[in-house]
Amino acid sequence: AQSVTQLDSHVSVSEGTPVLLRCNYSSSYSPSLFWYVQHPNKGLQLLLKYTSAATLVKGINGFEAEFKKSETSFHLTKPSAHMSDAAEYFCVVSEGYGQNFVFGPGTRLSVLP
Amino acid sequence: DVKVTQSSRYLVKRTGEKVFLECVQDMDHENMFWYRQDPGLGLRLIYFSYDVKMKEKGDIPEGYSVSREKKERFSLILESASTNQTSMYLCASSLYQNTEAFFGQGTRLTVV
């Protein structure tokens, strides 16, 4: 069975400093992994995806994530935070048929001026 | 770009009403999903559909039904709305298994 753990419910950084949002997953098979961002009262937007190609994945808005199978991790990073990055971030795993997507509980990112 | 459109951004309905939430996608995706999102509970899958007229229950199907008569349209039906169904409802679609999902903007439903 699939599951996703996002280790921090809230992360606060200063503008211009690096961002690290942590995600660990469990999966019986080779999963697909995704990061989504949600701004207040909006739908979810795909940031990036891992689908068994390169382990370092680049996404939109300067975000990237590294798939580490040995650590079952898929942490999201950005070198320099911007005020517009303040939002909720969801790590998602998908494998095979059935429920198809399992969402982590989310991490709220605050960016301080 | 894929577009997933939900018919309403905000809805207010009365207890006991039958409520229809409509979702349309324009990229010929096979799979469509309905989630509800509540503070502290995250996103929970209500129903999904992997083909026209096909549906499967998600984690919390009680009090809901769905309809998919055409590939591009997936409707969520609240048979008799209750106050505990006040929530943000999100529709999504994906091309195949394990491909990314694209989300609509959400419908914030309030049942009074």
Side-chain angles (χ1 to χ4, degrees):
Chain A
Q2 312 158 76
S3 68
V4 179
T5 303
Q6 291 184 244
L7 297 156
D8 305 294
S9 59
H10 182 215
V11 170
S12 185
V13 301
S14 297
E15 191 174 21
T17 64
V19 176
L20 170 64
L21 304 183
R22 297 181 291 168
C23 172
N24 286 92
Y25 69 93
S26 68
S27 173
S28 303
Y29 305 102
S30 296
S32 296
L33 293 158
F34 310 91
W35 275 98
Y36 285 84
V37 61
Q38 185 181 32
H39 289 92
N41 292 311
K42 296 288 180 63
L44 277 71
Q45 180 186 17
L46 180 70
L47 276 179
L48 49 79
K49 62 182 179 182
Y50 167 78
T51 54
S52 73
T55 56
L56 182 62
V57 181
K58 294 189 183 298
I60 62 171
N61 300 335
F63 285 96
E64 63 181 39
E66 186 171 8
F67 173 70
K68 292 187 177 180
K69 188 175 181 178
S70 60
E71 298 177 10
T72 60
S73 70
F74 191 55
H75 301 332
L76 182 70
T77 60
K78 183 173 179 177
S80 176
H82 191 272
M83 296 296 288
S84 60
D85 295 328
E88 189 92 16
Y89 290 80
F90 294 93
C91 182
V92 182
V93 65
S94 174
E95 62 170 39
Y97 181 70
Q99 189 170 336
N100 200 256
F101 296 101
V102 175
F103 285 79
T107 297
R108 184 165 60 90
L109 176 65
S110 297
V111 181
L112 307 175
Chain B
D1 280 351
V2 175
K3 193 166 184 183
V4 179
T5 303
Q6 295 182 228
S7 53
S8 304
R9 288 295 310 275
Y10 300 94
L11 275 180
V12 180
K13 296 292 181 180
R14 295 191 182 277
T15 301
E17 276 194 77
K18 191 169 186 176
V19 181
F20 294 85
L21 303 183
E22 307 285 345
C23 176
V24 177
Q25 51 95 1
D26 66 357
M27 284 301 290
D28 204 33
H29 282 180
E30 300 289 326
N31 302 321
M32 296 190 74
F33 310 83
W34 275 106
Y35 294 88
R36 64 176 282 177
Q37 184 178 25
D38 301 287
L41 297 175
L43 275 83
R44 294 179 291 169
L45 181 66
I46 306 172
Y47 269 97
F48 73 98
S49 168
Y50 53 90
D51 200 354
V52 176
K53 297 190 186 293
M54 306 302 287
K55 60 186 180 184
E56 290 216 11
K57 294 179 180 180
D59 299 320
I60 50 164
E62 297 78 19
Y64 303 94
S65 62
V66 290
S67 171
R68 193 170 182 197
E69 296 296 320
K70 294 185 178 181
K71 193 173 187 180
E72 67 270 18
R73 186 179 296 270
F74 192 35
S75 302
L76 180 69
I77 303 154
L78 286 66
E79 298 291 342
S80 177
S82 64
T83 54
N84 64 12
Q85 292 178 310
T86 292
S87 185
M88 169 73 97
Y89 289 87
L90 292 165
C91 175
S93 71
S94 69
L95 183 57
Y96 302 123
Q97 296 172 26
N98 299 338
T99 59
E100 66 269 32
F102 294 86
F103 284 82
Q105 76 277 29
T107 297
R108 186 164 294 282
L109 172 67
T110 302
V111 182
V112 298

